[in-house]
Amino acid sequence: MKVIIIGAGVLGVSVARQLALAGEDVLLLDQRGAGTGTTATTFAWTNSSRKPDPDYHRLNLAGMEEHARLAEQLRGAPSYFPSGALQWADAANEQRLAGNVERLQAIGYPAHWVTPDEATRIAGDLRIPATITSVAHFPSEGYVLPELFVNNLLADAEQHGAKCAIGEVVAIDDRPDEVAVTLAGGEVCRGHRVVLAAGRWTERLAARAGIDVPMVTDTGRGAQTVGLLGYARSPGLDLRCVIHSPGLNLRPAADGHTVLQALDLNADVDPADPPSMDGDLANTLARRFSALLTDPSRAPKINLRIGFRSLPADGHTVAGYASAQSRVYCLVSHSGVTLAPILGRLVAAEITTDQEQDLLRSFRPTRFTDVRRSDIEVDQHATNLGEQ
């Protein structure tokens, strides 16, 4: 079977690898290159700690478990780290954290309280401010180095015969006997199936095949899809896990670097007027980071990057054929990093066997059929950028 995958982000590459392992003829297309879209600007925290919808929670749990299995299979430098995560609360946030810990413990999700001294040993090279009143530990969570993860997946896919090419898709013709994909240069690629894994471009490309995949498409100032990340090159830290503190989230990156996220700053981010390296947003991020350093006199050096998230209209993953007759399989998720390994395996299984996978039953694109956009219910937990 010839399968064309549109989009070489973390989801598309994951599916490509699994299909190649199954012996299928795979062509992976991307307009700029593997991992250069949303995947390049993600906090990359693997978790299911704030996803109360039962089906969505179950899918994310499976994604976390699949990451551990996949890590044993992939060659190359490690890109997945089951480091655990810490969430710190001050007086203003302790009730919310306590409620979430209680909920998670009731459903068997690993979560427990730790003392500040225990948290310091878990976190590594950070100072816990005196304003912190409680700390919860989530030992099953972790993080991914997205660029390295995609490169490892792609290398394995190509080793098993997948081909990757640069090309901008301008048309998708979903026919009874094949799918024809037309590129900007006029080239037409034909296959038995197409996987549309184009991230935030999914709605636009799906429409070209007569398919409706409602997504949040606003990219203006403070939009839900817009997020700011800071990449601290110095000071180098021995940070050992993901941290969520009031005002700043942190995760380790390569070479002692740190990825920073301050959710409240997103409201002031305008992609049309990106924040400068010495502007108010950069200074605020640096000040909050310095407050957590064991030596706050070390001035941070932080690069800023604006991310555009792939956000289905109701906040939940879309995975499935556009209709019973369609040869186009739609795949898009706001939890892409957590879900990539499990979605890669399950989507490939559905394509190669035509057998429905139970974990994906609730996430079909057909749930939007004949539903007005104004009537789509949004899961606010799923759409919070800091939850992914």
Side-chain angles (χ1 to χ4, degrees):
M1 184 191 310
K2 175 69 174 291
V3 184
I4 301 169
I5 300 174
I6 301 172
V10 67
L11 294 183
V13 175
S14 295
V15 176
R17 174 185 176 271
Q18 290 287 352
L19 287 170
L21 286 173
E24 306 299 342
D25 182 0
V26 178
L27 173 62
L28 183 62
L29 296 172
D30 196 273
Q31 61 181 339
R32 291 181 294 185
T36 58
T38 297
T39 301
T41 54
T42 172
F43 190 62
W45 164 40
T46 59
N47 78 97
S48 189
S49 64
R50 297 179 193 163
K51 297 165 185 175
D53 177 85
D55 292 331
Y56 196 44
H57 177 72
R58 191 161 62 108
L59 183 62
N60 279 268
L61 281 180
M64 296 164 68
E65 294 166 357
E66 195 74 15
H67 262 292
R69 288 190 286 268
L70 180 60
E72 296 179 355
Q73 302 170 15
L74 284 182
R75 299 179 181 179
S79 58
Y80 163 67
F81 300 86
S83 63
L86 291 170
Q87 294 186 23
W88 307 348
D90 54 19
N93 298 288
E94 61 183 3
Q95 186 172 355
R96 177 174 180 263
L97 178 58
N100 196 45
V101 169
E102 181 179 3
R103 179 186 67 84
L104 292 171
Q105 290 176 336
I107 59 176
Y109 189 88
H112 60 268
W113 300 106
V114 295
T115 67
D117 286 344
E118 291 171 327
T120 299
R121 289 193 291 271
I122 294 168
D125 193 15
L126 280 185
R127 183 181 68 86
I128 300 179
T131 55
I132 298 302
T133 58
S134 57
V135 182
H137 184 216
F138 302 85
S140 65
E141 298 178 359
Y143 67 94
V144 166
L145 301 181
E147 181 178 355
L148 182 57
F149 184 51
V150 168
N151 289 342
N152 288 347
L153 287 169
L154 182 59
D156 205 34
E158 291 180 328
Q159 184 176 2
H160 288 87
K163 298 179 178 64
C164 187
I166 302 294
E168 181 185 356
V169 174
V170 297
I172 303 171
D173 189 2
D174 189 4
R175 304 171 182 174
D177 58 340
E178 68 172 12
V179 187
V181 175
T182 303
L183 304 183
E187 180 184 357
V188 178
C189 306
R190 305 179 190 277
H192 301 98
R193 299 286 188 276
V194 161
V195 178
L196 182 54
R200 61 190 177 94
W201 294 277
T202 295
E203 180 176 354
R204 175 169 55 85
L205 289 175
R208 294 177 182 177
I211 300 167
D212 184 24
V213 181
M215 296 187 62
V216 180
T217 57
D218 180 17
T219 57
R221 179 186 292 272
Q224 280 183 303
T225 58
V226 175
L228 180 69
L229 290 179
Y231 294 82
R233 295 173 286 118
S234 66
L237 296 185
D238 177 26
L239 183 61
R240 300 170 190 167
C241 71
V242 178
I243 304 290
H244 297 267
S245 73
L248 193 66
N249 301 330
L250 308 90
R251 75 155 168 87
D255 302 321
H257 296 179
T258 307
V259 179
L260 310 174
Q261 179 189 58
L263 298 178
D264 62 308
L265 300 186
N266 290 341
D268 296 320
V269 176
D270 184 357
D273 184 19
S276 65
M277 301 301 295
D278 57 355
D280 290 342
L281 292 181
N283 290 334
T284 299
L285 205 60
R287 184 172 64 254
R288 294 181 185 181
F289 185 38
S290 294
L292 303 182
L293 299 176
T294 54
D295 181 5
S297 66
R298 297 182 292 176
K301 295 181 179 179
I302 302 173
N303 294 327
L304 300 181
R305 191 181 301 173
I306 296 175
F308 298 95
R309 301 299 182 239
S310 305
L311 188 57
D314 61 0
H316 288 170
T317 296
V318 173
Y321 289 105
S323 68
Q325 298 76 37
S326 179
R327 291 174 176 267
V328 177
Y329 194 108
C330 302
L331 182 63
V332 60
S333 180
H334 179 40
S335 301
V337 167
T338 295
L339 296 179
I342 191 64
L343 289 177
R345 179 166 65 80
L346 297 181
V347 170
E350 291 198 329
I351 290 172
T352 56
T353 69
D354 288 326
Q355 297 295 312
E356 183 177 66
Q357 302 297 305
D358 177 66
L359 280 171
L360 299 183
R361 187 171 292 133
S362 299
F363 303 102
R364 305 308 187 190
T366 50
R367 69 183 185 266
F368 297 118
T369 302
D370 298 326
V371 177
R372 295 180 302 179
R373 281 184 177 254
S374 58
D375 293 334
I376 296 174
E377 295 186 8
V378 180
D379 184 339
Q380 295 298 334
H381 293 278
T383 59
N384 190 327
L385 297 183
E387 308 308 305
Q388 311 303 320

